[in-house]
Amino acid sequence: MPRGSGTGGPGTSGSGTSGPGTSGSGTSGPGAEGVVPFRQFLLKVHSRCNLDCDYCYVYHSPDQSWRRKPRSMAPATVGRVAGRIAEHARTHGLPDVRIILHGGEPLLLGPRRLDDLLGALTERLAPVVPPRFSVQTNGVLLDEELLDVLRRRSVRVSVSLDGSRRAHDRHRRSADGRGSHDRVTRGLRLLNSPSHKDLFAGLLCTVDLANDPLETYEALLSAAPPRLDLLLPHGTWETPPPGLAHRTVPPAAPPGPAATGAGGTPYADWLCRVFDRWFDAPVRETGIRLFEELMSGILGGTVRSESVGLAPVDLVVIETDGTIEQSDSLKTSYPGAPETGMDVLRHSFDEALRLPEFRARQSGAAALSDTCGRCRLAELCGGGLYAHRFDARNRFANPSVYCHDLAALIAHIRSRIEQALDAGPAGPATVPPGP
C-alpha cells in the first residue's frame, strides 16, 4: 500500500498521508511542555503486500527494515498498542484518536483477524476515548466479507488508484507482472455500492509525468471519490524523483516570483492543469486535499497537512513488532531514518513525544532551513514533505526537492483565486469561504 507523499489518506485528518498525509491536524493544543500530543496512530498491521509497486517506499527504498519485521501484528502487540494509546489519550484529555490501519497491505489479515484486531482496539479504547478507524488499501482484496467487517467496525476506506488502466498498471503490478487495475476497480464498485458507499473516504493517486493529467483526473472521477489525494512521488536531493534528475543540489536562495528554476517545474505544470479543470467545474465534483489546503492558506486560513504548511505533526507509526517510529516516508532517505529506538512494551507515547525528532516536526518555522526561513512562501509551503528535504550533507535542513514546483503551484493557485474573487458571484464554485 505505501506510495507517494503523505501517509494518512483522504479519511484522516491533516495530510500521510496520508497520505500520506496525514499528520498536521493541529486540533489539539500544546501540552504542558509545549508539545502537541499524538492524535493519529498509524498501525502497520501487516508488513507484506500482494502487489509489487515499483515506487513503493517500503520495499524499494534504502531502508529495508521490513525484512526483519513480523508479517503481522500479534494480538499481544495489538493489546499493548491499545493500552499505550489509551494512556496517551487519558493523559492529554483527547476528544478522539485516529487509528489508521496500514501496511504492507492491511487487508492481508483477512476478515476474521481484521475483525479481532478492530474488536480488541475498540474494547480497550472506547471506555477512554472514541477511536476513529480508517484503512489504506490497494483495493485488490476488497470483497463483501471484508466490507461487512469494515462496516460493522465503522472503518473508513481509502484506496490507491493511479488513473486509467494504462496509467495504473504501469507501476501497480503483482510480483508476476500482472496489472492490478481491473481488480482494484472491481473492489471500488463494491465499495461504491449503496450498502458500503458511506465507508468510502477517497482515492490516493501518485502523480506520474508520463500520464496525461486530465485523462488521469477524469479516470479518478469515474470512481466517484468523495476526496482525492494527489501525491508527489518520493524523492530526495540524493535520489531525485522522476523527471527531476538535475535536482541534486539544494538551492541557496528561495525561488523568485517566476518560480521556474533550472529545468522547469514539470510537477507544477501537471498539477496546475488538474487544478484548472477542478477549479473551473460548474459544480464541486470532489475534494482535492493539496489544492484545498493551499487555498485555505492563501485566503488566510490554516494549512493542516504533512505535505505543506507548518502545522505540528501529530502522527506516530507503530510497526508490526510494536516499535515506535516517525513517518515511514522517511524510509526513502537512508536506512533507519524513521527509527526512534522505542517500542510500546517499554515506552509510552509521551516518552516518544519528547524525542528531538518529533519535537522538530512540531516547531513550525523554527525547524525550516535557512533558505526556507527567508522564503515568502514559508507558511504556505512549510518546506514541503519532510522526507523530500534530505541530502547527505544537511540531512533535512533543506528545502524540498520539489521547492520550485511547489512555489509555481502556489503562484498559480493564488492567481486563479484572485481572478475568481475579482469576478464576483459569477466565479467558480470551488473558491472556499474565508477563514
Side-chain angles (χ1 to χ4, degrees), residues 116-131:
D116 289 346
L117 179 143
L118 290 164
L121 290 169
T122 301
E123 181 179 5
R124 186 69 177 83
L125 292 173
V128 179
V129 61

Side-chain angles (χ1 to χ4, degrees), residues 20-199:
T22 66
S23 23
S25 67
T27 52
S28 298
E33 297 180 330
V35 297
V36 174
F38 295 125
R39 286 281 302 279
Q40 301 186 80
F41 301 85
L42 191 146
L43 275 54
K44 295 283 190 173
V45 297
H46 205 290
S47 66
R48 304 302 194 263
C49 193
N50 52 342
L51 295 183
D52 186 23
C53 306
D54 58 16
Y55 53 47
C56 180
Y57 60 77
V58 171
Y59 309 112
H60 297 284
S61 75
D63 186 295
Q64 291 289 297
S65 57
W66 66 273
R67 298 179 183 276
R68 305 188 301 271
K69 304 293 185 188
R71 296 182 71 88
S72 60
M73 189 174 283
T77 305
V78 173
R80 194 63 176 174
V81 170
R84 290 298 191 187
I85 295 173
E87 173 187 53
H88 193 69
R90 186 184 297 109
T91 298
H92 296 279
L94 299 181
D96 61 16
V97 292
R98 310 275 175 166
I99 309 295
I100 307 154
L101 306 185
H102 208 267
E105 171 49 49
L107 298 188
L108 283 172
L109 284 176
R112 183 184 61 79
R113 293 178 63 198
L114 179 64
D115 190 43
D116 289 346
L117 179 143
L118 290 164
L121 290 169
T122 301
E123 181 179 5
R124 186 69 177 83
L125 292 173
V128 179
V129 61
R132 311 298 183 196
F133 292 113
S134 64
V135 61
Q136 289 190 23
T137 173
N138 59 38
V140 168
L141 297 175
L142 284 173
D143 61 17
E144 287 290 353
E145 190 175 6
L146 276 165
L147 283 166
D148 285 344
V149 172
L150 297 172
R151 162 164 296 286
R152 188 166 62 256
R153 298 297 184 179
S154 300
V155 182
R156 300 272 286 163
V157 182
S158 299
V159 179
S160 296
L161 182 70
D162 281 355
S164 66
R165 177 184 288 104
R166 179 183 59 182
H168 181 93
D169 286 347
R170 181 179 295 117
H171 303 288
R172 302 189 62 80
R173 295 175 172 271
S174 300
D176 61 6
R178 289 184 303 134
S180 62
H181 184 271
D182 289 348
R183 289 173 286 167
V184 176
T185 53
R186 182 172 61 247
L188 282 168
R189 284 193 293 273
L190 288 175
L191 182 58
N192 256 324
S193 65
S195 56
H196 304 303
K197 189 174 180 61
D198 59 322
L199 299 178

Side-chain angles (χ1 to χ4, degrees), residues 101-397:
L101 306 185
H102 208 267
E105 171 49 49
L107 298 188
L108 283 172
L109 284 176
R112 183 184 61 79
R113 293 178 63 198
L114 179 64
D115 190 43
D116 289 346
L117 179 143
L118 290 164
L121 290 169
T122 301
E123 181 179 5
R124 186 69 177 83
L125 292 173
V128 179
V129 61
R132 311 298 183 196
F133 292 113
S134 64
V135 61
Q136 289 190 23
T137 173
N138 59 38
V140 168
L141 297 175
L142 284 173
D143 61 17
E144 287 290 353
E145 190 175 6
L146 276 165
L147 283 166
D148 285 344
V149 172
L150 297 172
R151 162 164 296 286
R152 188 166 62 256
R153 298 297 184 179
S154 300
V155 182
R156 300 272 286 163
V157 182
S158 299
V159 179
S160 296
L161 182 70
D162 281 355
S164 66
R165 177 184 288 104
R166 179 183 59 182
H168 181 93
D169 286 347
R170 181 179 295 117
H171 303 288
R172 302 189 62 80
R173 295 175 172 271
S174 300
D176 61 6
R178 289 184 303 134
S180 62
H181 184 271
D182 289 348
R183 289 173 286 167
V184 176
T185 53
R186 182 172 61 247
L188 282 168
R189 284 193 293 273
L190 288 175
L191 182 58
N192 256 324
S193 65
S195 56
H196 304 303
K197 189 174 180 61
D198 59 322
L199 299 178
F200 192 11
L203 296 174
L204 300 98
C205 170
T206 296
V207 172
D208 184 344
L209 298 178
N211 298 332
D212 180 82
L214 299 186
E215 178 184 306
T216 298
Y217 180 61
E218 297 295 345
L220 296 171
L221 276 184
S222 69
R227 202 167 194 194
L228 295 178
D229 266 317
L230 296 176
L231 308 173
L232 294 170
H234 284 309
T236 70
W237 295 102
E238 297 292 326
T239 54
L244 299 180
H246 59 284
R247 292 194 191 169
T248 57
V249 179
T260 53
T265 53
Y267 285 93
D269 298 343
W270 199 100
L271 289 166
C272 287
R273 289 187 64 195
V274 177
F275 179 85
D276 288 343
R277 164 66 181 81
W278 171 78
F279 189 76
D280 291 334
V283 296
R284 187 178 188 275
E285 297 167 313
T286 189
I288 301 181
R289 179 161 44 182
L290 175 61
F291 298 161
E292 291 172 334
E293 293 292 345
L294 290 175
M295 290 172 73
S296 174
I298 289 167
L299 291 167
T302 302
V303 182
R304 295 183 287 193
S305 167
E306 187 183 11
S307 299
V308 290
L310 294 172
V313 169
D314 63 359
L315 177 137
V316 63
V317 176
I318 303 94
E319 285 282 355
T320 53
D321 59 357
T323 51
I324 298 171
E325 295 194 350
Q326 303 175 75
S327 173
D328 55 351
S329 62
L330 294 175
K331 293 176 185 291
T332 61
S333 306
Y334 59 90
E339 295 175 5
T340 65
M342 293 188 172
D343 61 73
V344 294
L345 182 64
R346 299 173 299 160
H347 305 95
S348 69
F349 287 119
D350 272 69
E351 290 177 276
L353 201 56
R354 290 193 288 269
L355 291 171
E357 296 88 347
F358 284 111
R359 295 296 295 269
R361 305 292 305 281
Q362 296 195 350
S363 56
L368 296 179
S369 67
D370 291 341
T371 302
C372 291
R374 292 182 279 116
C375 183
R376 71 197 188 285
L377 301 177
E379 290 192 4
L380 286 171
C381 167
L385 189 74
Y386 199 69
H388 295 169
R389 307 175 196 178
F390 179 77
D391 84 336
R393 179 180 178 184
N394 300 321
R395 311 291 274 184
F396 299 99

